[in-house]
Amino acid sequence: MSEFILKEDEIYKLFEPLDSLIGSGVNIFILSGDLASGKTTLIRSYITHCLPEKREDITSPTFSLLQSYGDLHHYDFYHHDIQKFLELGLLEGLGSGIHFIEWGEKLESILKNSGYNYAVISITTVGDKRKYRISGL
């Protein structure tokens, strides 16, 4: 497990640990934290880091469930349940590409039982900073 306490303009310090996890076979990241804890900010920043040309196109999938940017995928379960995810056949798509799932805690047991490599990024507010705890599973 890794832990970082960062201001928003220091979020880039998480990119190397994320890249390292991806290099070791982790391709799914479940982000947990309260509303406005910085889940979308982290995902948007990482996608911009990987695909700077997409900077203006990166939006939150709060109501649509999924936004894809090439091989990078951003899900938001806040307004959706696991049943919709499964009905849309999105579980099968987790085998390739990189997936960031906000509010995806409900999906953990399915991922674990299906043998997917994933990590959990827990975000909490600490004053004007955020604490990011990355647990590779």
Side-chain angles (χ1 to χ4, degrees), residues 52-106:
E53 70 278 6
K54 297 284 186 188
R55 179 183 207 66
E56 301 301 319
D57 300 329
I58 300 170
T59 60
S60 177
T62 300
F63 295 102
S64 63
L65 180 64
L66 169 65
Q67 292 284 14
S68 292
Y69 308 94
D71 287 339
L72 297 170
H73 310 281
H74 179 187
Y75 305 80
D76 188 328
F77 280 18
Y78 187 72
H79 291 287
H80 306 282
D81 59 20
I82 296 299
Q83 190 61 36
K84 181 171 182 175
F85 179 82
L86 297 173
E87 286 172 1
L88 292 172
L90 297 175
L91 182 64
E92 292 79 22
L94 296 178
S96 62
I98 308 301
H99 305 269
F100 292 93
I101 306 170
E102 294 186 57
W103 305 100
E105 297 90 339
K106 300 173 258 183

Side-chain angles (χ1 to χ4, degrees), residues 60 125 137:
S60 177
T125 303
L137 303 175

